[in-house]
Amino acid sequence: MASRGGTLVKASPPAPVTAPAPSAPSARAERVPTALLWAAPPVLALALAFLYPLALVVRESFAPGAYAQVLASTSFRDALVTTVWLAVAATAGCLVLGFVLALVIAFVPFPGGRAVARFIDVFLSFPSFLVTLALLFLYGTVGMANGLWTDLTGAADGPFQFLTTPWGVLLAEITYFTPFVMRPLLAAFSQLDTAQLEVASSLGARPLRIVRRVILPEALPALAAGGSLVLVMCLNEFGIVLFTGAKGVTTLPMLVYGKAILESDYAAACVVAVVNVLISVGLYTVYRAVTRSGGRQGPRRSPEGRRRRAGA
């Protein structure tokens, strides 16, 4: 109690002393060791299972004269050209076929369309050699098609002999990798504003014009993402080429197999593997850039802008 001007005034209790709050840098410094402890096991497992073997391959590739010998060889240049043209041709075929099939599934109503769309997701889990075996059963030298031909005509051999050529490898790759293009396309078509299609149809645009002016521009990011992914996988495909038994078709993965297993030339095999990895990583970087840019949604167009675009 205190006296102020003859009046008793109750004194206020002293304010409690609080400890100063920890600064933001110190709090972050406390969280860093915990984050390192959590990150150490997966990083260590990744290093032992992947990075260490990859480092051994890279080290083996630097054997004296290995790069000069391999890069100057005709077999490497032929394998590189074969790998690139097969991958590019298969990607182009997958883009065209995948776009047409995705259009039919998404915009053409037919019985079982939803089941077909779900089957595509299941098909993505199939191994590549399974599709190749199915084609061999159909069009192989002793397959069903050749068997029917010889039974009907009495000929000694059937006319379908293309599976042992580069065209057979190309057909198998297009058959197997097309769903990898269809999956992002179907996802993009499911988000397409149907008002654009209705506006274009009301303005008298024909189906092909609607596809060209409305649907295709919206599908370009999905096509780029799917095509980039297919191109990367085709460059590294081994099972399809091996199971078709195509003569004279040697890709970079097949060249690695031949150098390492058949010739026991591990230095040359490691050089080819390093080149294949560099090409694949570069294309995967492009694929990630495309998917990131495709994920960003652009500004919504006004109804008037849709009409101008559809009727242009």
Side-chain angles (χ1 to χ4, degrees):
M1 304 292 287
S3 176
R4 183 180 299 172
T7 305
L8 294 177
V9 181
K10 185 178 180 179
S12 59
V17 179
T18 58
S23 60
S26 63
R28 287 196 296 267
E30 293 177 358
R31 289 195 297 267
V32 168
T34 305
L36 290 177
L37 289 176
W38 282 104
V43 170
L44 182 61
L46 179 65
L48 292 176
F50 176 73
L51 296 180
Y52 178 67
L54 182 61
L56 291 179
V57 170
V58 174
R59 188 185 68 177
E60 183 68 21
S61 69
F62 283 101
Y67 275 94
Q69 180 182 357
V70 171
L71 297 181
S73 63
T74 305
S75 60
F76 172 78
R77 291 196 297 268
D78 292 343
L80 180 61
V81 171
T82 302
T83 303
V84 171
W85 88 257
L86 276 176
V88 172
T91 302
C94 290
L95 288 175
V96 175
L97 183 60
F99 182 71
V100 173
L101 294 179
L103 275 178
V104 173
I105 294 175
F107 299 109
V108 179
F110 63 93
R114 185 171 299 179
V116 173
R118 292 177 180 174
F119 175 75
I120 292 173
D121 296 332
V122 178
F123 189 88
L124 297 178
S125 64
F126 288 176
S128 59
F129 69 84
L130 185 61
V131 176
T132 308
L133 285 178
L135 291 176
L136 287 174
F137 284 134
L138 289 175
Y139 303 109
T141 305
V142 292
M144 295 175 58
N146 284 323
L148 290 175
W149 178 269
T150 54
D151 290 341
L152 292 175
T153 62
D157 297 321
F160 303 102
Q161 305 292 337
F162 62 89
L163 278 184
T164 57
T165 68
W167 303 109
V169 177
L170 184 61
L171 173 63
E173 289 188 350
I174 292 175
T175 303
Y176 178 70
F177 290 115
T178 294
F180 289 87
V181 175
M182 296 176 62
R183 184 64 267 174
L185 279 175
L186 291 174
F189 290 160
S190 65
Q191 299 177 358
L192 183 64
D193 189 1
T194 56
Q196 300 183 42
L197 306 180
E198 295 172 358
V199 169
S201 179
S202 64
L203 292 175
R206 295 183 177 180
L208 289 179
R209 190 168 189 175
I210 294 176
V211 171
R212 188 179 71 253
R213 304 289 297 184
V214 180
I215 298 177
L216 182 59
E218 299 291 337
L220 286 179
L223 278 172
S228 301
L229 179 61
V230 169
L231 183 61
V232 171
M233 292 190 296
C234 286
L235 286 172
N236 298 286
E237 182 54 41
F238 175 75
I240 288 178
V241 183
L242 181 65
F243 273 80
T244 54
K247 300 176 182 179
V249 180
T250 303
T251 59
L252 290 179
M254 287 293 296
L255 187 61
V256 173
Y257 174 79
K259 292 291 185 182
I261 305 301
L262 303 180
E263 302 178 16
S264 298
D265 190 353
Y266 297 107
C270 291
V271 171
V272 179
V274 169
V275 173
N276 201 1
V277 167
L278 291 177
I279 296 174
S280 301
V281 170
L283 289 176
Y284 179 75
T285 304
V286 175
Y287 164 72
R288 292 296 300 170
V290 169
T291 54
R292 283 197 300 268
S293 63
R296 302 190 187 100
Q297 296 293 332
R300 290 285 184 180
R301 296 181 179 87
S302 63
E304 183 62 28
R306 294 171 185 159
R307 294 189 185 93
R308 287 197 302 268
R309 180 181 174 186

